[in-house]
Amino acid sequence: MYSVILFVIYLSFIALGLPDSLLGNSWQVMYLDINAPFELAGAVSMIITAGTVISALFSPKLTLKLGTGRVNLISIFISSLSLALFSVVRDPVSLCLVAVPYGLGAGAVDSALNNYVATHFSSRHMNWLHCFWGVGACISPYIMFMALGYFGSWRLGYAVVAVLTLLVCAAVLFTLSKWDDGDRAQVSPDSSGSLLKALRIKGIWLSLGVFFCYCAFETTAGLWIASYLGRVHGISEDLCSALAGFFYVGITLSRLVCGFVSDRLGDKRITLIGSGVMLLGSFMFLFSQPWLFVTALAVTGFGGSPLYPCLVHSAEENFGSSCSAAVTGLQMAFAYVGSTLSPFLFKLLLPVDALGVWLFVLCVLCFACTVLLWNKERLRFT
């Protein structure tokens, strides 16, 4: 039973990753087509991730009431419908409205599935789970590359991704009955815990800081890479989408590799090594050459990618099983808060050609929080 559910969870994370790089890779064409200001991308990203914060915080209660399988099914269906609506929007207002349901759909499934895998499976599977998110995030830039390069339509790119997520939704529906035997065992009334109680656990704020900084880095890079390469270095629109995909290739390869070694090295060693690689790679952001920037994307993506899955997987060990679901919900929420605020603040405070400086600062903060977290005394909840 668990092997079937695990396969469906992997597919679900592909569906979760597919839309995450679409907006950034299509925006340099999309904003002209719908007569939107260039800066609106930050606002749309904020709307999406604000919705995910809300649904992530309510995820433990939703999972307790509906079960992980049903939360997964409903969330992916909402995401698929939202992507289909993205492909037909004609003006900025419609775009902002469509962003609301997409955000609400993404947060609940992310939190529910992360807690499910952390509870039932090893660190290996948690890394591979997020590797499959990276597979989705890697595929969509090339879907958009094909849509723009061969058909001249960003709308087609969104439509194709909507169909792919709908197919995953069908797979979840087909196996829904298999979740009934154990999907709510992960979120008993005791294990869901209190958010306020979880916020008082020793070390929790450092963990939340890592999620905030890493996801702020990931979302800012994903949203503005293509625009930076196009507007600053004059690279063609379709090639920008392809080059931006190197960031997600680095993330995906790293999580694939970490899946083979995580059980042997442990979450602590992998996150410390990964954050160090991320920091070293980030120094290349300070140089203006486009080839160094693309290389930095791959290196920082490779180094930083284990932070998210390994810290989620170690939540129960570090903070106790009585609050594991609440801690996971908080981690997802702070991840999305970072994703919400960072792209907007970057565009508000700095010009596009200063993207490398912003990403470097976020990498430094992420490294600092990770080192402080694991060098605290005993974190275990008592």
Side-chain angles (χ1 to χ4, degrees):
M1 180 189 71
Y2 276 123
S3 61
V4 175
I5 294 177
L6 186 60
F7 176 73
V8 173
I9 291 174
Y10 283 157
L11 289 179
S12 299
F13 256 67
I14 292 177
L16 194 63
L18 277 170
D20 282 2
S21 55
L22 276 182
L23 183 63
N25 286 291
S26 62
W27 188 248
Q28 70 271 23
V29 176
M30 187 177 177
Y31 85 98
L32 295 172
D33 193 24
I34 64 173
N35 297 315
F38 179 72
E39 293 76 12
L40 186 68
V44 174
S45 178
M46 284 186 67
I47 293 171
I48 293 173
T49 48
T52 59
V53 171
I54 295 171
S55 57
L57 289 174
F58 282 96
S59 179
K61 292 184 178 180
L62 289 173
T63 305
L64 180 62
K65 184 175 182 179
L66 300 175
T68 305
R70 291 179 179 84
V71 170
N72 191 17
L73 176 67
I74 295 169
S75 298
I76 294 177
F77 178 76
I78 292 173
S79 297
S80 179
L81 179 61
S82 300
L83 288 166
L85 293 174
F86 262 87
S87 70
V88 297
V89 295
R90 299 290 176 181
D91 57 81
V93 175
S94 299
L95 180 65
C96 292
L97 291 175
V98 171
V100 174
Y102 172 69
L104 292 173
V109 63
D110 196 3
S111 178
L113 291 182
N114 270 294
N115 188 61
Y116 186 89
V117 174
T119 303
H120 291 84
F121 300 99
S122 67
S123 180
R124 169 182 300 180
H125 289 294
M126 179 62 81
N127 275 282
W128 283 342
L129 175 69
H130 286 266
C131 174
F132 276 83
W133 172 89
V135 169
C138 284
I139 291 172
S140 55
Y142 297 100
I143 292 175
M144 189 59 69
F145 169 74
M146 297 291 288
L148 290 173
Y150 290 91
F151 299 96
S153 172
W154 61 269
R155 298 181 186 277
L156 178 62
Y158 275 96
V160 170
V161 173
V163 171
L164 292 176
T165 55
L166 189 61
L167 292 175
V168 175
C169 186
V172 176
L173 179 62
F174 181 74
T175 60
L176 191 61
S177 62
K178 298 184 180 297
W179 297 77
D180 291 341
D181 293 332
D183 64 340
R184 299 184 191 183
Q186 57 168 333
V187 188
S188 65
D190 290 334
S191 68
S192 62
S194 162
L195 294 178
L196 292 177
K197 179 181 177 182
L199 287 171
R200 293 194 294 267
I201 301 175
K202 184 177 183 180
I204 186 65
W205 285 101
L206 288 170
S207 177
L208 299 181
V210 176
F211 279 85
F212 180 95
C213 293
Y214 173 74
C215 290
F217 164 80
E218 187 179 277
T219 304
T220 305
L223 184 61
W224 295 112
I225 290 168
S227 296
Y228 169 83
L229 294 174
R231 290 168 71 99
V232 176
H233 296 288
I235 299 174
S236 63
E237 295 160 349
D238 54 348
L239 185 56
C240 285
S241 296
L243 290 175
F246 279 98
F247 178 53
Y248 297 102
V249 169
I251 291 174
T252 304
L253 288 177
S254 175
R255 287 172 179 167
L256 178 64
V257 171
C258 287
F260 289 105
V261 300
S262 58
D263 289 344
R264 181 182 304 175
L265 295 180
D267 294 326
K268 177 179 179 178
R269 288 180 181 175
I270 288 181
T271 53
L272 289 175
I273 293 171
S275 63
V277 173
M278 184 183 185
L279 179 64
L280 291 175
S282 70
F283 281 96
M284 286 185 284
F285 285 130
L286 301 179
F287 300 92
S288 59
Q289 291 87 345
W291 68 271
L292 275 176
F293 196 89
V294 173
T295 303
L297 290 172
V299 173
T300 53
F302 189 91
S305 67
L307 299 182
Y308 198 119
C310 287
L311 289 179
V312 170
H313 184 263
S314 61
E316 183 174 356
E317 176 186 353
N318 285 336
F319 305 115
S321 58
S322 63
C323 288
S324 63
V327 167
T328 303
L330 283 170
Q331 288 173 332
M332 299 302 102
F334 270 74
Y336 290 127
V337 169
S339 298
T340 301
L341 294 180
S342 182
F344 175 76
L345 290 175
F346 160 67
K347 195 62 191 70
L348 182 67
L349 300 175
L350 295 170
V352 174
D353 58 4
L355 176 62
V357 176
W358 185 263
L359 296 180
F360 172 76
V361 170
L362 290 174
C363 287
V364 171
L365 291 174
C366 192
F367 174 79
C369 287
T370 305
V371 172
L372 288 173
L373 172 64
W374 285 114
N375 281 279
K376 292 288 288 182
E377 299 83 9
R378 197 169 173 222
L379 289 176
R380 189 182 303 278
F381 176 74
T382 55

